[in-house]
Amino acid sequence: RRLNVRVNIELLSISNPVHKKDLAVRLTDDADPFFLYNLVISEEDFQSLKSQQGLLVDFSAFPQKFIDLLQQCIQEQNKDIPRFLLQLVSSASVLDHTPVSLNVVETNPFKHLTHLSLKFLPGNDAEIKKFLASCLKCLKEDKMMLEEKLRKTEEDLTRQLSYTQQSLSEKSRELDKLKNEWTSYTTALTNKHTQELTNEKEKALQAQAQYQQQHEQQKKELENLHQKSIQQLQNRLSELEVINKDLTERRYKGDSTVRELKAKLSGIEDECQRAKQEVLSLRRENTTLDAECHEKEKLINQLQTRVAVLEQEIKDKDQLVMRTKEVLDATQEQKAILEESTEKKQSHIEKLETTIKSLSAELLKANEIIKKLQGDLKTLMSKLKLKNTVTIQQEKLLAEKEERLQKEQRELQEMGQSLRMKEQEVLKLQEQLETTIQKLEESKQLLKTNENVITWLNKQLNEIQMAKKLETSASAHGGARTAISPHGMPDRPSFPSSGINHPISPLYAYQNFPEAAHNKNVNSQCPIQFNTQFSKMNRCPDVQTATAAGHPANKENGDNLGLESKYFKKKEDSIPLRGLSQNTVNSEYLKPYLPAKAQPSPKAAVTPASAYFPG
């Protein structure tokens, strides 16, 4: 099985009774607290370990070397085939309560080399308890440190929270102020923009037709250009694909030739190395033979000196002639044997020299062949580089063409989207045109009704003027205050119940005529607010009027009913009319003055009128 093990290495120095240094190594597992193996190596134990395993390191340098080996194992642990391994081997099947050997192994394709093998003993109960106590002490210290850090961070966070809450309240106040300012600003802006929008819509309607024509022309031109460019690019693409295929074929051929040349080169290099090894071995043999020859020559020189001494002794001592002759014979025989051996060795040396010369010549030839192959390789590599540069340039060109194609496709899509947007805008503008045409027709109908009302009011004004003339004539003759209208009713009736003392003009009774003419479907129980203003006619003087109450909008069309502003221009020669003050007038008092068509319904109530007619 595979484990992550923690290795602790300590140097223990003991001074009592003798100064010693021990190396303590401990194996532990962070996941298993009962996994504990110890090893204590003294200097004497290290000497025996050094002699057993053939170590070349002293006891002082051993811990650092062991740490270096462990670091190499750590660097190689994540690889699929690690070079350095830590093997924990035990005799039993389980790693508990049995001695264990820790091996640092270097793996290669040929053999697993064990650089170091250390035997560890399992920890007993006392050692495990001591180890667990130290672990617990470290954990408690870490816990205390973390608690202090947590307390400090909590205090900092509470301070930051209070500060942020204060800043948040200030910012919220500022935000409220800004919101109020923004709402006022936005209302002003919306009013401005509505006016600008109406002006811009009119301009847009005019520019729309021009833009549509220009857009259709541009669309046709762009489509033609795009089709031509697509055809050109497609033709270019087909040509580039053919060129790319040829280049890839050439590249594959070049790769195959390079591989063959590399294989040949590796074979030649192997042969060269073998030849070099043979040369080295022959040189070593030659050196040994030279040493032997030198020794033999020394022996020959010694023997020659001895012979000279013996000859002198022969001259001096005739008695010892026989003995010296025998010695001479023996020495001559030995000399002959030595000469024969020297001749044989010289012949062997000559043969070796010839073989060395032939090998050197072969080596020179091999070096020349290698140089030629290297030159061929360089030329091939330069050709390959040229081909690669050409292919890279062509790939870049292809990428640029593809990017241009993609850009043109994106532009096409954007043009289509803009076309759709323009079509939607055209549809919206057509709908707005239809609504404006409907409003125009309704305003024309309103104008017609207003003209009818004006003609009728002109007739009434003429009758009033005639009545006034009759009053002036009657006052001149009889001094009567009241005048009878042509219809046989008093001209200006008073309304004591409503608090109006001065008489009211009969024209006030016709104020709800436009409302009665247009709003036939309105519920009679609803209060009606009138906006009456009289215009100057061609036949009679103008009537001076002032209005404050606004006319209610027509619920169906959203337009204002009543007369237009051109009918209410003030002139100096206008005849003032007596009218109502800001008091309510019941429409029942005005029924005799109204024609049958313009009389209000009995349920309709007249709102207070703000017009005052000075009389």
Side-chain angles (χ1 to χ4, degrees), residues 541-557:
D542 287 341
V543 180
Q544 187 177 356
T545 61
T547 61
H551 196 284
N554 192 349
K555 290 181 182 178
E556 292 179 359
N557 300 321

Side-chain angles (χ1 to χ4, degrees), residues 64-73 84 104 115-116:
Q64 187 59 44
K65 293 291 180 184
F66 184 45
I67 289 162
D68 293 338
L69 287 169
L70 290 172
Q71 283 177 352
Q72 285 180 350
C73 293
F84 286 92
V104 180
H115 287 282
L116 186 64

Side-chain angles (χ1 to χ4, degrees), residues 92-105:
S93 60
V94 185
L95 292 174
D96 293 333
H97 306 295
T98 53
V100 167
S101 61
L102 183 75
N103 300 326
V104 180
V105 180

